[in-house]
Amino acid sequence: MIIDSKQYNGPCSCGKTHQMATRLVVIESGCLGELDRWLDKCGLSGPRAVIYDTNTYQARNLIRPSAQQEIILDATNLHANEKATSQVLSQLQDEIQLLIAIGGGTIHDTTRYCAHQRGIPFVACPTAASVDGFCSTVSAMTWEGFKKTLPGIAPSLVLADLDVIREAPFQLTLSGVGDIIGKYTALADWKIAHALSGEYFCPVIEGMTRQAVHAVRGCAQALAQKDNAAFEQLIYGLLLSGLAMQMMGNSRPASGSEHHISHLIEIQPTGLAGVPADALHGEKVGVGCLKVAAECHRLAQIEDISSLVHPYAPLAEDYIRDFFGPQLLPSILAENASDCMTGVTPDRLIAAWPEIRAIIGEIPSAEELNALYTAIGAKKSLADIQVPEELLPLLLEYSPCVRNRMTLMRIRRMFL
């Protein structure tokens, strides 16, 4: 399977002109063995460095390409952060003109940041279908302890070798499924923000992301048998979601309330002291999606909200400090300095509520998601990701603070 960005570039029905930086996506068995051919097709040349971690360097069926330089990061406690990027940038030879990331999401975020810093292109070669960020234009980093979106560049070429991806640990595969299933609530949040505030919305990008969800949901139960067609659909869905984000210019189509729960756990605020952040990103997103879906449908049962809604209260400094602690306080305050809910009045919310309820109806119920997760063996409860179940109210309340983005969980503050 080949995705050529030409089919998506150009004027759109939304009124904007979209442009992808990724020229080609190749999803084929053995495609890594033809790296040079695909590089030539994309006009990429020059001395190259390949970035691995110690796990992906030994990945089953991996064909390691020839390169002027190999950089292998220690996979132990490896994160996309200032330490990993410093290790890469300090080792890169001056003559390197192309970076090749071979690994998972951490290697890709680290490499795209370093490619941006050096002003050179990079090629993405995922070794597992674990996340949807391989085609991202930005780097999802944990910088000085805070989850941030930092500058990066999109890959010029993506080579997804099914022979390698199919042999990855199944936990990584299920993480990829969770990341995509999370689009149900992310897309609903985007549409709700559009209905409530007129935020920009593109039906073509929404359709691409929803197509990714349908592809993954349709193949999910065949993944355990290492069905090649199922893995092709999974990585297709993940990469298509990434391309949709490229067209959008940000993560809006793919990241909403469910991702904010994952990010909240990852930054380990004072209010979640002792809660480990070891679960995979997609595992946390999948569980977050199920919990957010349940809360969305609970709210949608309220037909008339006129007696419940009150004016939105911006996030107070004391409120943030008490939960996030002094170390994270400056970052959270800066993130929310221009609150996305400014201008949303009770009257506007009441008027938009019928449309919001209809949008919530597009989200599968928590029972439906629970049945899917059970069928494929995915993690489905907070306990499964090492989070005490009694912390759910705190997750729903404080997760909107980590990103200044209008979501139903942020709007929900007008009900509390």
Side-chain angles (χ1 to χ4, degrees):
M1 180 187 296
I2 296 175
I3 304 174
D4 189 333
S5 66
K6 292 177 183 176
Q7 64 183 299
Y8 297 108
N9 292 339
C12 179
S13 61
C14 72
K16 291 192 174 185
T17 297
H18 300 302
Q19 189 70 33
M20 285 188 196
T22 300
R23 302 169 204 174
L24 283 178
V25 172
V26 182
I27 306 171
E28 291 179 357
S29 293
C31 62
L32 260 177
E34 299 182 276
L35 173 64
D36 288 331
R37 178 168 77 89
W38 292 113
L39 289 177
D40 289 343
K41 195 171 182 66
C42 291
L44 298 170
S45 60
R48 61 205 190 206
V50 186
I51 317 299
Y52 305 88
D53 67 31
T54 49
N55 289 336
T56 57
Y57 192 77
Q58 302 295 335
R60 292 187 63 182
N61 296 336
L62 179 65
I63 302 170
R64 291 195 288 269
S66 61
Q68 281 67 40
Q69 185 179 11
E70 288 184 341
I71 296 177
I72 307 170
L73 302 178
D74 186 351
T76 306
N77 202 31
L78 180 64
H79 300 284
N81 57 19
E82 62 270 28
K83 178 181 177 182
T85 55
S86 175
Q87 288 177 335
V88 173
L89 290 171
S90 64
Q91 294 182 60
L92 271 182
Q93 298 168 1
D94 291 340
E95 65 269 21
I96 295 299
Q97 298 176 19
L98 175 68
L99 298 184
I100 300 174
I102 299 184
T106 296
I107 286 295
H108 279 76
D109 280 318
T110 301
T111 302
R112 84 174 69 255
Y113 178 85
C114 294
H116 177 270
Q117 293 297 101
R118 286 286 297 263
I120 57 178
F122 97 99
V123 174
C125 304
T127 55
S130 54
V131 294
D132 72 341
F134 297 113
C135 294
S136 178
T137 57
V138 295
S139 304
M141 312 289 282
T142 302
W143 209 262
E144 297 178 348
F146 186 67
K147 196 76 175 180
K148 290 186 176 182
T149 299
L150 295 180
I153 60 171
S156 300
L157 167 67
V158 180
L159 294 180
D161 192 330
L162 292 173
D163 288 344
V164 179
I165 291 169
R166 195 176 57 248
E167 295 299 324
F170 195 58
Q171 184 183 9
L172 297 177
T173 299
L174 290 178
S175 175
V177 174
D179 203 8
I180 288 293
I181 294 300
K183 306 324 172 206
Y184 278 121
T185 45
L187 289 174
D189 278 331
W190 188 21
K191 295 176 77 171
I192 287 169
H194 175 69
L196 183 58
S197 69
E199 180 182 321
Y200 166 73
F201 178 80
C202 175
V204 173
I205 294 175
E206 193 271 350
M208 287 175 63
T209 308
R210 200 165 293 277
Q211 182 182 347
V213 178
H214 290 161
V216 172
R217 188 165 181 181
C219 75
Q221 295 194 42
L223 293 167
Q225 286 74 48
K226 293 192 175 182
D227 180 84
N228 205 61
F231 273 89
E232 182 181 54
Q233 286 300 299
L234 173 57
I235 195 66
Y236 165 73
L238 290 165
L239 296 174
L240 187 65
S241 175
L243 293 174
M245 286 189 275
Q246 269 196 42
M247 289 177 63
M248 182 69 184
N250 57 56
S251 64
R252 183 42 139 162
S255 176
S257 301
E258 72 301 319
H259 272 72
H260 300 165
I261 287 177
S262 176
H263 296 335
L264 181 65
I265 296 169
E266 289 163 2
I267 64 175
Q268 299 186 294
T270 301
L272 297 181
V275 175
D278 299 334
L280 296 175
H281 171 73
E283 293 175 331
K284 296 193 288 283
V285 168
V287 172
C289 177
L290 192 153
K291 299 302 182 183
V292 168
E295 180 64 6
C296 288
H297 284 290
R298 186 189 72 80
L299 293 174
Q301 292 177 2
I302 308 171
E303 186 172 349
D304 182 1
I305 62 171
S306 57
S307 64
L308 302 175
V309 178
H310 54 75
Y312 177 80
L315 304 175
E317 183 171 333
D318 288 347
Y319 175 83
I320 294 174
R321 182 188 292 107
D322 289 346
F323 183 81
F324 287 92
Q327 183 176 358
L328 292 174
L329 175 65
S331 296
I332 299 292
L333 285 176
E335 176 67 24
N336 293 281
S338 299
D339 200 304
C340 62
M341 292 291 290
T342 300
V344 176
T345 64
D347 286 345
R348 288 182 67 176
L349 178 54
I350 291 166
W353 189 244
E355 185 176 355
I356 291 173
R357 291 180 71 217
I359 294 168
I360 293 172
E362 300 172 0
I363 304 172
S365 68
E367 292 75 20
E368 189 177 350
L369 292 173
N370 187 75
L372 172 63
Y373 293 2
T374 299
I376 64 176
K379 295 182 178 180
K380 57 187 180 182
S381 69
L382 290 176
D384 287 342
I385 57 171
Q386 305 176 65
V387 178
E389 296 285 348
E390 60 267 23
L391 293 182
L392 176 60
L394 291 178
L395 295 177
L396 294 176
E397 179 180 352
Y398 287 97
S399 57
C401 303
V402 304
R403 184 72 189 272
N404 189 19
R405 174 170 285 173
M406 190 179 293
T407 65
L408 187 58
M409 293 303 100
R410 198 173 184 109
I411 296 165
R412 175 178 172 269
R413 290 174 53 82
M414 296 178 70
F415 290 84
L416 298 176

